[in-house]
Amino acid sequence: MTRYVFITGGVVSSLGKGIAAASLASLFKLRGYKVSLQKLDPYINLDPGTMSPFQHGEVFVTDDGAETDLDLGHYERFVGIKTNQDSNVTAGRIYSNVINKERKGDYLGSTVQVIPHITDEIKRLIIKGANKSDIAFVEVGGTVGDIESLPFLEAIRQLNLELGESKSIFIHLTLLPKIDVTNEIKTKPTQHSVKELRSIGIQPDLLLCRGKSDLNQELKNKIALFTNVSKNAVFSAKDTDSIYNIPLNFREQRIDDYIINNFKIKPKKINLKPWKELQSKIKGRKKQIDIVMIGKYIDLVDSYKSLNEAVFHAGVCNDKIVKVNYIDSETITKGNTKCLNKMNGIIVPGGFGHRGIEGKILAAEFARVNNIPYFGICLGMQISVIEFARNCINLSKANSTEFHKNTPNPVIALVTEWKNYKGKKIKADQVNYGGTMRLGAQTCNLSQNSLAFKMYNKKTITERHRHRYEVNKNYINKFKGSELIFTGISKKDNLMEIVEIKNHPWYLGCQFHPEFTSSPVKGHPLFNGFIKASINNKI
Ligand code: GLN
């Protein structure tokens, strides 16, 4: 029978609940238990797909095409599992399901209410998300005390009661601020946060205390006394220079043992080798290289979470510290590409909307002309095609219809705009804005002898997508015989997936998002190759 670990957060947001959940889950996975992870998000959006990355960070995409919270990226990277549509549940999804059932007449005669209808639906989706795993980690988004979180907290309170003794555990991640002037660690916010939880019927079993340093036993005793949590169940979640140290930090404190005892399950032997090896590889990295990321959402690094992680992983795999320099694409102009001069490699990441596009096109040109390794991801690939069309094959007005609806040279366009390509129309759902993209894992065939083939060392790959626009197939012939080649084609519908520039040290654009599947242990073939080429690009 599945055991549930419910993780809530208190005092402030962004304490790292997702990473804490992922780190704990990883310790159980490394003991051979089947684990699952799920994030409950209290906002009303059906999914984060339509939210600005400025507000909520990156939208993470699963194999089955769910647009989800970025915490799912941590789950996949730390635990090495694949999340899916059931792994991220929002209040919007819950309410939408309940309202649909109400319209169908499923609740005929009753008044539909938060308790029991909403909470029942939450519990149903928690159990579905657990997918018969041994241990299901369920992270409740938001901060205890928020109005929005209440139905979720009520649902996990009920579930804990219904499951019975030793079947679930409540973990509360809280903040212990330090007052620098007096050098004092303050416990009051934690006391209040737990009080708030207890007032809605949840007594945490275990506290993870985020702070600048480890807690001594005296402090643990004090927190235990005021929160009614066992002294042995107050643990430190100390700040660390790499998130990948956290599983080992938790293991050193035997947090996993405490949970296993609580669940009254037989402990299995743990294999910490992968984390230990990674830790020493991270520590052993030498010399730094500089990569530039030409983005739009550069003020919030969470907007490019998976991308940053993938670059970091590739650095680890290549024994190098990779510094990512963020440049706002709007600051790059014809007369001002100086900032790109000192960079070992250039990344143009994914993005939406016309703002900053011309700067990205200039960066792609700079990389092509100056033989600087270039990695264009999704929008970054479309930028490569536009740049090349404008500057190398006389399509001076080339653009994407996303940025110029009536461009005379729509080298990038919606499939529905290609109009009768070879007599066929490929359908795309154009009714709603949310959920109308090419999403999730799709298969792509690589040309032999291409850079892509060299990187992956296989003919067929599967990568995740999240975009609306495609290379316009009506223009493919115009590129024939030029330096720009299409070396990856989707199995379904033969869409252009990868472009390369011949006779360039490393220039590749891909229509998919390889960053979503990069792992800290192995990296990702394209990122590893790009970073390697950037290291070789001596400046
Ligand atoms: N805006 C582009 C599209 O919709 C690229 C999207 C992306 O980079 N994820 O096709």
Side-chain angles (χ1 to χ4, degrees), residues 316-383:
V316 174
C317 291
N318 281 290
D319 293 326
K320 284 279 183 303
I321 296 168
V322 181
K323 179 166 181 237
V324 182
N325 301 273
Y326 301 93
I327 293 186
D328 183 342
S329 46
E330 281 190 309
T331 63
I332 300 177
T333 53
K334 258 209 162 73
N336 181 27
T337 45
K338 275 202 312 288
C339 49
L340 304 176
N341 264 332
K342 292 202 173 74
M343 297 296 161
N344 297 89
I346 297 178
I347 296 182
V348 175
F352 294 85
H354 72 277
R355 195 164 66 77
I357 288 303
E358 294 303 321
K360 291 180 185 179
I361 292 173
L362 285 170
E365 180 184 0
F366 189 87
R368 180 176 58 77
V369 174
N370 296 296
N371 286 325
I372 298 173
Y374 175 89
F375 194 5
I377 295 173
C378 205
L379 175 66
M381 164 193 169
Q382 299 173 356
I383 291 288

Side-chain angles (χ1 to χ4, degrees), residues 6-18 20-21 39-40 42 71 138-146 149 152-153 156 170-175 189-190 192-197 200 202 204 206-210:
F6 297 116
I7 298 141
T8 56
V11 183
V12 291
S13 59
S14 306
L15 281 183
K17 275 197 304 285
K39 172 93 191 270
L40 307 177
D71 273 332
V138 180
E139 178 194 345
V140 183
T143 309
V144 167
D146 296 345
S149 318
F152 289 101
L153 296 172
I156 60 171
F170 291 117
I171 296 184
H172 190 54
L173 175 64
T174 172
L175 177 70
T190 296
H192 278 291
S193 181
V194 174
K195 193 167 148 210
E196 187 81 32
L197 257 183
I200 48 179
I202 295 177
L206 191 159
L207 294 181
L208 282 176
C209 304
R210 175 82 191 263

Side-chain angles (χ1 to χ4, degrees), residues 349-353 377-379 382 402 466-469 511 513:
F352 294 85
I377 295 173
C378 205
L379 175 66
Q382 299 173 356
E402 181 179 8
R466 181 174 184 256
H467 56 101
R468 288 192 178 82
Y469 294 81
Q511 190 58 86
H513 289 273

Side-chain angles (χ1 to χ4, degrees), residues 66-83:
E67 296 178 89
T68 72
D69 186 82
L70 59 79
D71 273 332
L72 272 71
H74 296 308
Y75 301 169
E76 294 205 359
R77 289 187 283 271
F78 275 68
V79 192
I81 53 166
K82 294 246 159 99
T83 53

Side-chain angles (χ1 to χ4, degrees), residues 391-533:
N391 296 324
C392 303
I393 55 167
N394 276 332
L395 296 173
S396 61
K397 298 253 160 42
N399 217 327
S400 162
T401 55
E402 181 179 8
F403 318 129
H404 184 194
K405 199 83 221 132
N406 302 314
T407 171
N409 308 130
V411 287
I412 309 290
L414 292 172
V415 174
T416 43
E417 289 169 338
W418 298 352
K419 296 217 179 85
N420 284 325
Y421 173 72
K422 287 199 182 150
K424 274 196 287 181
K425 267 193 188 167
I426 303 169
K427 264 198 229 137
D429 176 4
Q430 290 296 299
V431 186
N432 294 314
Y433 209 70
T436 54
M437 287 192 253
R438 185 168 160 216
L439 281 168
Q442 299 192 1
T443 306
C444 159
N445 296 319
L446 305 179
S447 326
Q448 229 129 21
N449 302 324
S450 61
L451 177 64
F453 182 80
K454 211 168 127 202
M455 296 293 110
Y456 283 98
N457 199 19
K458 52 183 172 186
K459 276 209 308 239
T460 310
I461 56 163
T462 302
E463 293 283 6
R464 298 182 192 177
H465 289 253
R466 181 174 184 256
H467 56 101
R468 288 192 178 82
Y469 294 81
E470 307 280 353
V471 174
N472 185 343
K473 281 204 245 172
N474 296 326
Y475 280 85
I476 299 296
N477 271 338
K478 302 236 189 275
F479 291 93
K480 284 243 159 80
S482 77
E483 295 271 284
L484 184 142
I485 44 174
F486 295 96
T487 57
I489 314 280
S490 72
K491 193 167 159 222
K492 189 169 170 275
D493 296 332
N494 293 322
L495 300 165
M496 300 305 123
E497 297 276 47
I498 299 180
V499 296
E500 296 175 18
I501 300 284
K502 287 196 279 189
N503 306 321
H504 186 285
W506 207 98
Y507 189 110
L508 188 143
C510 54
Q511 190 58 86
F512 46 79
H513 289 273
E515 69 271 28
F516 293 141
T517 48
S518 172
S519 100
V521 177
K522 290 202 200 109
H524 181 285
L526 294 182
F527 283 95
N528 295 354
F530 166 71
I531 293 298
K532 194 171 171 197

